[in-house]
């Protein structure tokens, strides 16, 4: 059991280090366009879409630093940091929830 | 597959909040009764793993990018209800901290990725596995097919949610208020790019992790007991 957790954790850390490879995939994801991209496609922005689209300002939008320079190294650092934040908070929350929930 | 704010109108996103709240509540109850303490580190790892795997954007021909979710293997190993919790927590973090997926769309995203994927994954795996031995290689194939089906069906659901927007909510003149493209565009777009791209990746990831756990400790699998535990139970029954 401990061996499995250890090995899976090593796998996870390797994935985190290589996470910036995900930045190489340039291209848009279907249905995840910003209002500007929608305008380019259609010539207009649906009014409801425009209204809702800026509802929330995330502290690290698109796994990047706000106002940070967009060099590949800077983006990679932000991307790995995002992975670390996701792993620590996400894993931590689930560990806490799991400890509370598990009976035996 | 992370639907941003603005693509789903209130009819749709409110409906998904109404659907998801009891699902989250029930998933929490199931976690209370089913989760063993030795599975807790695995549960924490599964959310972390899903978060990181979703960061691996993969390009496909046609210029779109997407990613695997890792939800099928979570459903198979820890059970679909634990999958709901692990992926929902991940998606909420992605929406709040990284703006990946909308706030209003959290419930819809949790339904597509956090419910459809682990449940389709688990039941397709069970269906194909049948009564085969837990260590059989048939089960590795079953897990791969489960991974493929789970992401493809989740993509189909997302395509339907997008495509019904112009029907549900538009101005008096017929101008769409939210996602402007109809079902005839959104469903093929979502399904094709997943079926021939990201779902294959999901299948590979699911099979690799499945094979690893299968070779190491099958007693970790949801509702599977090790031979030792099975032996103990038989003794208890016959005693």
């Amino acid at each position: 059991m401990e061996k499995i957790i250890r090995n899976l954790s090593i796998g996870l850390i390797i994935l985190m280090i290589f996470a910036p490879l995900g930045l190489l995939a340039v291209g848009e994801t279907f249905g995840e366009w910003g209002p500007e991209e929608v305008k380019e496609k259609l010539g207009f922005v649906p009014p409801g879409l425009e209204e809702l689209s800026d509802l929330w300002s995330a502290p690290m939008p698109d796994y990047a630093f706000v106002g940070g320079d967009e060099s590949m190294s800077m983006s990679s650092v932000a991307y790995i940091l995002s992975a670390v934040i996701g792993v620590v908070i996400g894993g931590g929350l689930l560990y806490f929830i799991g400890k509370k929930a598990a009976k035996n | 597959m992370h639907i941003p704010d603005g693509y789903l109108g209130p009819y749709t996103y409110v409906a998904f909040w109404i659907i998801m709240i009891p699902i989250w509540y029930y998933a929490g109850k199931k976690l209370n009764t089913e989760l063993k303490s030795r599975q807790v580190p695995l549960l924490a790892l599964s959310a972390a793993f899903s978060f990181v795997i979703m960061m691996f954007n993969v390009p496909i021909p046609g210029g779109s990018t997407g990613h695997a979710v890792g939800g099928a293997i979570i459903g198979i190993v820890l059970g679909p209800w634990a999958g709901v919790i692990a992926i929902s927590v991940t998606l909420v973090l992605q929406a709040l901290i990284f703006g990946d997926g909308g706030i209003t769309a959290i419930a819809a995203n949790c339904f597509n990725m956090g419910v459809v994927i682990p449940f389709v994954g688990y039941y397709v795996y069970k269906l194909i596995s049948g009564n085969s031995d837990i260590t059989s290689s048939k089960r590795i194939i079953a897990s791969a097919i489960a991974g493929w089906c789970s992401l493809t069906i989740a993509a189909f659901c997302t395509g339907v949610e997008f495509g019904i927007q112009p029907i549900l909510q538009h101005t008096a003149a017929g101008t769409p208020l939210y996602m402007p493209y109809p079902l005839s565009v959104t469903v093929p777009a979502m399904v094709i790019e997943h079926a021939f791209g990201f779902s294959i990746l999901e299948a590979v990831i699911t099979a690799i992790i499945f094979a690893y756990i299968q070779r190491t400790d099958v007693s970790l699998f949801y509702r599977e007991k090790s031979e030792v535990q099975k032996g103990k139970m038989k003794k208890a029954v016959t005693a």
Side-chain angles (χ1 to χ4, degrees):
Chain A
M1 174 68 190
E2 284 73 26
K3 195 178 139 233
I4 286 195
I5 298 298
R6 193 196 64 204
N7 287 350
L8 289 178
S9 302
I10 292 169
L12 183 69
I13 290 165
I14 292 169
L15 278 181
M16 288 162 74
I17 293 167
F18 285 100
L21 285 176
L23 286 167
L24 295 176
V26 279
E28 48 189 21
T29 306
F30 185 87
E32 294 186 22
W33 317 291
E36 306 77 29
E37 286 169 287
V38 175
K39 188 159 189 186
E40 264 172 47
K41 287 176 186 298
L42 292 171
F44 75 104
V45 185
L49 197 157
E50 185 156 41
E51 202 181 304
L52 280 179
S53 62
D54 55 0
L55 192 70
W56 178 254
S57 322
M60 282 187 81
D62 298 322
Y63 308 93
F65 298 124
V66 180
D69 73 270
E70 293 193 357
S71 66
M72 197 61 201
S73 54
M74 205 52 179
S75 306
S76 301
V77 170
Y79 216 60
I80 293 178
L81 183 68
S82 301
V84 172
I85 293 171
V87 166
V88 170
I89 303 182
L93 269 174
L94 261 300
Y95 192 80
F96 178 75
I97 294 170
K99 278 280 172 208
K100 286 240 153 205
K103 292 282 183 326
N104 42 47
Chain B
M1 208 183 288
H2 295 63
I3 303 172
D5 282 319
Y7 283 83
L8 302 180
Y11 294 161
T12 315
Y13 71 68
V14 170
F16 274 106
W17 281 101
I18 294 171
I19 293 169
M20 279 309 296
I21 287 166
I23 293 179
W24 282 319
Y25 177 77
Y26 190 70
K29 289 233 156 217
K30 289 293 269 187
L31 206 64
N32 266 318
T33 54
E34 289 184 342
L35 191 74
K36 303 172 204 142
S37 51
R38 61 193 290 258
Q39 289 176 318
V40 172
L42 217 48
L43 180 71
L45 263 178
S46 69
F49 169 76
S50 179
F51 186 98
V52 176
I53 213 72
M54 288 195 245
M55 295 183 77
F56 278 83
N57 294 312
V58 183
I60 50 161
S64 191
T65 69
H67 53 76
V69 174
I73 189 63
I74 301 176
I76 293 168
V77 178
L78 293 170
W81 294 105
V84 172
I85 304 280
I87 299 174
S88 295
V89 167
T90 304
L91 291 171
V92 169
L93 279 181
Q94 287 173 333
L96 291 179
I97 304 179
F98 304 102
D100 197 6
I103 301 296
T104 54
I106 282 176
N109 286 326
C110 286
F111 179 82
N112 297 331
M113 285 180 268
V115 177
V116 173
I117 295 179
F119 272 91
V120 170
Y122 176 71
Y123 282 104
V124 168
Y125 159 78
K126 287 297 279 182
L127 191 74
I128 300 175
S129 301
N131 288 326
S132 62
D133 193 80
I134 182 69
T135 55
S136 70
S137 52
K138 183 184 179 185
R139 287 191 178 236
I140 301 175
I141 310 283
S143 74
I145 297 171
W148 187 88
C149 290
S150 69
L151 199 63
T152 307
I153 293 173
F156 171 78
C157 295
T158 310
V160 170
E161 290 152 28
F162 277 147
I164 57 175
Q165 298 310 311
I167 308 167
L168 287 178
Q169 291 180 284
H170 49 75
T171 62
T175 312
L177 283 169
Y178 301 98
M179 176 56 148
Y181 293 109
L183 284 165
S184 59
V185 174
T186 58
V187 172
M190 288 303 295
V191 172
I192 292 169
E193 66 179 25
H194 281 82
F196 295 103
F198 320 127
S199 299
I200 298 172
L201 183 63
E202 183 86 15
V204 172
I205 289 167
T206 309
I208 290 172
I209 301 177
F210 182 88
Y212 172 67
I213 297 180
Q214 190 191 41
R215 260 148 228 216
T216 326
D217 185 358
V218 294
S219 73
L220 283 174
F221 286 121
Y222 183 62
R223 293 195 174 154
E224 296 289 346
K225 290 181 177 66
S226 68
E227 289 307 312
V228 180
Q229 283 168 303
K230 267 184 187 164
K232 270 185 197 162
M233 280 184 64
K234 263 183 198 161
K235 261 186 206 161
V237 170
T238 47

